[in-house]
Amino acid sequence: MGISDFFLPERLPRQVIYIGDRHAEVFVLQNKKIISRRRVEGTTLAEIAAGRLTEIAGHLQAENTGIVFNAAPFMYNFFEFDKLPWQKKALRELVAWRLQKVFPESIEAYDHRFFQLDKKRVLSVLVKKSLPEKMGQFFEDKQIPLIYVGNSTMVILSRLLRAKAPPDFFIESDVTGCTLVFQKKRSPIYIRKFKSGSIADTVEEISKTVLFVSNNYGIEPSRYWLIEHRDEVADAAMQEKLAAGNFSRLSTNLQGVPFIPGCQ
């Protein structure tokens, strides 16, 4: 199966598995509320990519299921053109042509989706086809319906479109990686992924990136959402160091998990 929709699934799953750097979480939803969540430590993306989901499967029900991966296996590119064609086929060919100019590998091995942001810009998202295909095969073998495979970055971006007070950027932080997504007028303008170090080093990289965006995109990012996937201690430490840099944290609400589709 392919990536059904990077923003939100057509049908909301009854349970959602989130795959982080070194852990997974199983969420069960009812009436758009999370009624249970269970964390499975030590589950790496490499193991998931190899189809080793046995431990997670032990926590699943035979319900419509969704999987949300973090940003690690995905590649993002913004492309700007003088003008975008209105015909879908022509637009698809134009974006593919631009992608081939900057992407060194064969695109045939990747699931490629893109999203038109305005009259000139698109956001391109790539992931290896083998990842969703192995997920589909595993769940088919377990006789658990898999109706959605998505990406936390894009799910969170969809939340920003409806937020009453949207942040200037959001941070997804985990053990080995950090993702920053900046927006202007509720539209993404810059995405950066980098390897996590200490919290101090991560905050230093965030500050450098904010300065870069300020100098190149005509905005002054200061308000942020923080999605910290490690623990409450790391969350508090990150917030404290960001506050020292005059950054203001906004609440995500959404039960604290804006990366899970369907919850309110």
Side-chain angles (χ1 to χ4, degrees):
M1 89 181 259
I3 301 297
S4 56
D5 190 325
F6 283 121
F7 283 96
L8 288 175
E10 294 181 2
R11 291 183 294 141
L12 293 177
R14 176 78 166 79
Q15 61 189 353
V16 179
I17 308 164
Y18 170 74
I19 308 295
D21 286 342
R22 293 179 182 168
H23 80 283
E25 281 193 271
V26 179
F27 296 83
V28 177
L29 294 91
Q30 186 177 72
N31 298 324
K32 298 185 178 181
K33 298 292 183 182
I34 294 171
I35 59 174
S36 75
R37 61 189 293 183
R38 183 170 296 180
R39 188 177 178 107
V40 182
E41 298 289 355
T43 302
T44 67
L45 178 62
E47 292 173 330
I48 297 297
R52 292 194 289 271
L53 284 160
T54 305
E55 186 176 358
I56 296 173
H59 300 293
L60 299 178
Q61 304 172 17
E63 299 278 0
N64 285 345
T65 301
I67 295 180
V68 175
F69 288 95
N70 72 358
F74 296 84
M75 287 168 278
Y76 309 104
N77 288 284
F78 289 96
F79 297 133
E80 184 168 348
F81 303 89
D82 292 334
K83 184 180 180 181
L84 292 174
W86 62 270
Q87 291 184 325
K88 290 184 178 180
K89 183 176 183 293
L91 176 59
R92 184 168 57 252
E93 291 174 348
L94 179 64
V95 174
W97 170 80
R98 176 65 68 85
L99 178 63
Q100 288 174 337
K101 291 175 70 70
V102 301
F103 192 63
E105 300 180 48
S106 171
I107 298 176
E108 295 302 316
Y110 288 82
D111 188 312
H112 177 225
R113 302 298 170 100
F114 67 89
F115 305 94
Q116 184 172 345
L117 302 175
D118 52 38
K119 294 181 179 180
K120 295 183 177 182
R121 297 187 310 127
V122 299
L123 170 58
S124 163
V125 185
L126 286 167
V127 67
K128 285 189 175 180
K129 289 179 179 178
S130 58
L131 186 62
E133 286 172 355
K134 286 180 179 178
M135 297 304 99
Q137 186 60 56
F138 178 88
F139 280 87
E140 183 178 342
D141 293 344
K142 295 292 183 181
Q143 298 185 329
I144 298 175
L146 181 63
I147 65 170
Y148 172 65
V149 179
N151 166 284
S152 62
T153 305
M154 304 306 289
V155 175
I156 298 169
L157 271 173
S158 74
R159 305 294 194 162
L160 298 183
L161 298 176
R162 302 190 300 275
K164 291 183 179 179
D168 303 313
F169 65 105
F170 68 80
I171 306 162
E172 265 201 286
S173 176
D174 209 332
V175 176
T176 64
C178 184
T179 302
L180 306 176
V181 180
F182 294 81
Q183 66 163 3
K184 181 179 183 179
K185 296 180 180 179
R186 294 181 184 265
S187 180
I189 56 173
Y190 185 74
I191 299 176
R192 183 191 174 198
K193 300 194 301 179
F194 61 90
K195 296 293 185 182
S196 296
S198 67
I199 288 177
D201 289 342
T202 299
V203 171
E204 182 178 355
E205 286 299 317
I206 292 171
S207 298
K208 289 178 181 178
T209 308
V210 167
L211 181 60
F212 171 83
V213 172
S214 298
N215 291 336
N216 290 276
Y217 291 90
I219 61 173
E220 297 293 333
S222 61
R223 303 181 306 167
Y224 69 93
W225 278 0
L226 172 61
I227 299 93
E228 174 57 71
H229 292 290
R230 286 172 287 185
D231 52 39
E232 293 180 357
V233 174
D235 184 283
M238 183 82 79
Q239 178 174 318
E240 181 180 358
K241 288 193 175 295
L242 285 166
N246 295 319
F247 295 108
S248 176
R249 182 176 187 176
L250 301 181
S251 172
T252 62
N253 296 318
L254 300 167
Q255 301 178 72
V257 286
F259 52 92
I260 299 298
C263 68
Q264 292 182 348

